[in-house]
Amino acid sequence: MALAQAILTSLLEKPCTGAELARRFDKSLGHFWQATHQQIYRELGKLEQDGLVRAHGLAATRGQQRHFEVLATGKAALESWCAEPGEPRPIRDELLVRLRAAAVLGTVDVRVELLRHQGMHAQTLDRYLAIEANDFPADAQKTVADELQFAVLRAGIVYEQSWLNWCEQTLSHAPAIQKPALVEVWPPAD
Amino acid sequence: MALAQAILTSLLEKPCTGAELARRFDKSLGHFWQATHQQIYRELGKLEQDGLVRAHGLAATRGQQRHFEVLATGKAALESWCAEPGEPRPIRDELLVRLRAAAVLGTVDVRVELLRHQGMHAQTLDRYLAIEANDFPADAQKTVADELQFAVLRAGIVYEQSWLNWCEQTLSHAPAIQKPALVEVWPPAD
DNA sequence: GCACACATGTAAGATGTTACATGATTAG
DNA sequence: CTAATCATGTAACATCTTACATGTGTGC
């Protein structure tokens, strides 16, 4: 639902081709809204059909670059969407399902996986902190737009930090989890 | 991908009907893995076809209760999945797209939406803390399974806390954001 | 019988993922 | 010319969401 708006935002910053858009998604927007190039091309097609963006270049020709730019209608649509209320996403991490399953099964050691996740979150956090140091130094004057972009980056930072914290906390109880006893929760049925 | 495993876990704890499963998802598993009753019925159908669960009751008859229980093959499948490595989910919240869009548009006041989210996260956090106080009192002896379930709940708690923190931090910069100046980022194209 | 809640199911569309196919461009 | 790479596109499928449809049981 927000993919179209993310694309409009990125195109407003700078018109470009679909491939360029996909590359930019990987680098900045992709930190908090991922999309494959297929999703992007599909969405660009819809946006063009709806008259929100305009393309320079022939449609439906492979290999040919098509530059996209946002039309006034597209900017207006983005503005109106931007003012709409939305719901926050609840957590939805496979790892939690694994832990819950491990709690019921009582035969799985989750420490290795917890350590893996700790490492991955630490790595992502480092990436974000590097961006912060580079793009938002503490002593620099920030415009309003900078503050907002910084807020988005900070969301990523606190998100990764909270997962890291959680991994540490959970691992600190690891001796109890490492070799769990088998707990029968229900007569095995078959 | 993890829905099947979440269902197996829940059914291992206690066999039940699809509707009961949907209700239980709303209450416990649903805190970190949401599913509608349609998703659950579809997944139950697949699990039955794959021979991982067994149903008591006629198939494809509306209105009739069908009780499901996990077979030994299902438990084995869950165990093997549980030991697999997985990737953590990156953040993916519409609010961040809105902030990014607001940064580019320069005409949208995001404070109201930030306050709304602050309230919603506070509410969810309260719900989690109530569960903690009720199910995991600090002085109680915890089994291994308890520790794991508690870890899952704590993930929800730190997640909500980090969003709350972020909302406060971001709102503290609100005077700068409240009435942003219009910033031209690109010649309006149309 | 009738209204209502409950359990299950179908259908359609949006969104996401994965794999592959084709034309253009460029380096050797 | 050939191979590699880039830009774009198609196809198939899994997942998720929303709306609606149908049969069962319960209370009045």
Side-chain angles (χ1 to χ4, degrees):
Chain A
M1 181 62 189
L3 178 57
Q5 287 77 19
I7 289 177
L8 287 174
T9 302
S10 196
L11 280 183
L12 263 183
E13 288 184 306
K14 187 166 169 5
C16 64
T17 68
E20 167 74 17
L21 206 46
R23 250 178 278 118
R24 261 199 274 160
F25 256 73
D26 273 349
K27 287 184 187 167
S28 71
L29 274 166
H31 292 317
F32 59 93
W33 202 272
Q34 306 76 39
T36 62
H37 80 272
Q38 289 81 353
Q39 276 178 276
I40 289 173
Y41 282 125
R42 203 183 343 168
E43 206 62 39
L44 277 173
K46 277 191 220 163
L47 288 172
E48 191 184 6
Q49 265 198 324
D50 295 348
L52 303 184
V53 304
R54 181 175 55 172
H56 299 270
L58 297 128
T61 51
R62 293 167 190 260
Q64 289 282 15
Q65 279 197 351
R66 303 188 72 212
H67 284 265
F68 291 88
E69 63 181 0
V70 181
L71 298 176
T73 45
K75 191 173 174 185
L78 182 60
E79 243 156 4
S80 110
W81 174 84
C82 204
E84 284 173 20
E87 297 302 305
R89 290 248 167 154
I91 331 187
R92 200 149 202 274
D93 200 299
E94 274 195 11
L95 180 58
L96 298 182
V97 178
R98 285 205 169 82
L99 257 62
R100 196 64 161 61
V104 170
L105 290 168
T107 54
V108 182
D109 181 4
V110 293
R111 288 190 73 226
V112 182
E113 186 65 0
L114 279 171
L115 283 168
R116 268 191 65 242
H117 278 249
Q118 192 178 28
M120 289 187 287
H121 285 298
Q123 211 171 339
T124 307
L125 178 59
D126 281 348
R127 227 173 46 234
Y128 290 169
L129 290 178
I131 296 175
E132 179 181 12
N134 192 56
D135 295 0
F136 305 99
D139 55 345
Q141 200 67 333
K142 293 191 189 67
T143 68
V144 174
D146 287 340
E147 286 284 5
L148 284 169
Q149 294 210 20
F150 186 32
V152 173
L153 180 61
R154 262 193 302 106
I157 290 174
V158 300
Y159 178 77
E160 296 301 330
Q161 279 173 340
S162 78
W163 271 111
L164 267 178
N165 259 334
W166 176 83
C167 283
E168 277 168 39
Q169 270 187 59
T170 305
L171 277 165
S172 77
H173 294 266
I177 302 177
Q178 189 168 16
K179 187 66 186 176
L182 178 61
V183 182
E184 278 301 333
V185 288
W186 198 261
D190 38 52
Chain B
M1 181 67 188
L3 177 58
Q5 287 79 18
I7 288 176
L8 286 173
T9 302
S10 194
L11 280 182
L12 263 183
E13 287 184 309
K14 188 167 169 7
C16 63
T17 68
E20 167 75 17
L21 206 46
R23 251 178 276 118
R24 260 198 274 160
F25 256 72
D26 273 349
K27 286 183 187 168
S28 71
L29 273 166
H31 293 316
F32 58 94
W33 202 273
Q34 305 76 39
T36 62
H37 80 272
Q38 289 82 352
Q39 277 178 275
I40 289 173
Y41 282 124
R42 184 161 22 125
E43 206 63 39
L44 278 173
K46 277 191 220 164
L47 288 171
E48 190 184 7
Q49 265 197 325
D50 295 349
L52 302 183
V53 305
R54 182 174 56 175
H56 299 268
L58 298 129
T61 52
R62 292 166 192 263
Q64 289 282 14
Q65 280 195 349
R66 302 189 72 211
H67 284 265
F68 291 88
E69 64 180 358
V70 181
L71 299 176
T73 46
K75 192 174 174 185
L78 182 59
E79 243 155 6
S80 109
W81 174 84
C82 204
E84 284 173 20
E87 297 302 305
R89 291 249 165 157
I91 332 185
R92 201 151 203 275
D93 199 300
E94 273 196 10
L95 180 58
L96 298 182
V97 179
R98 285 205 167 81
L99 288 191
R100 197 64 162 59
V104 170
L105 290 169
T107 54
V108 182
D109 182 4
V110 293
R111 289 189 72 225
V112 182
E113 186 65 0
L114 279 170
L115 284 167
R116 267 191 66 242
H117 278 250
Q118 191 177 29
M120 289 188 286
H121 285 299
Q123 211 172 338
T124 307
L125 178 59
D126 281 348
R127 226 175 45 234
Y128 291 167
L129 290 178
I131 297 175
E132 179 182 12
N134 192 56
D135 295 1
F136 304 99
D139 54 345
Q141 200 67 337
K142 292 189 189 69
T143 67
V144 174
D146 288 340
E147 287 284 4
L148 283 169
Q149 294 210 19
F150 187 32
V152 173
L153 179 61
R154 262 192 303 106
I157 290 174
V158 300
Y159 178 77
E160 296 300 331
Q161 280 173 339
S162 78
W163 272 111
L164 267 178
N165 260 334
W166 176 82
C167 283
E168 277 166 38
Q169 270 186 58
T170 306
L171 277 166
S172 77
H173 293 266
I177 303 178
Q178 190 168 15
K179 187 65 184 175
L182 178 61
V183 183
E184 278 301 332
V185 287
W186 198 262
D190 38 53

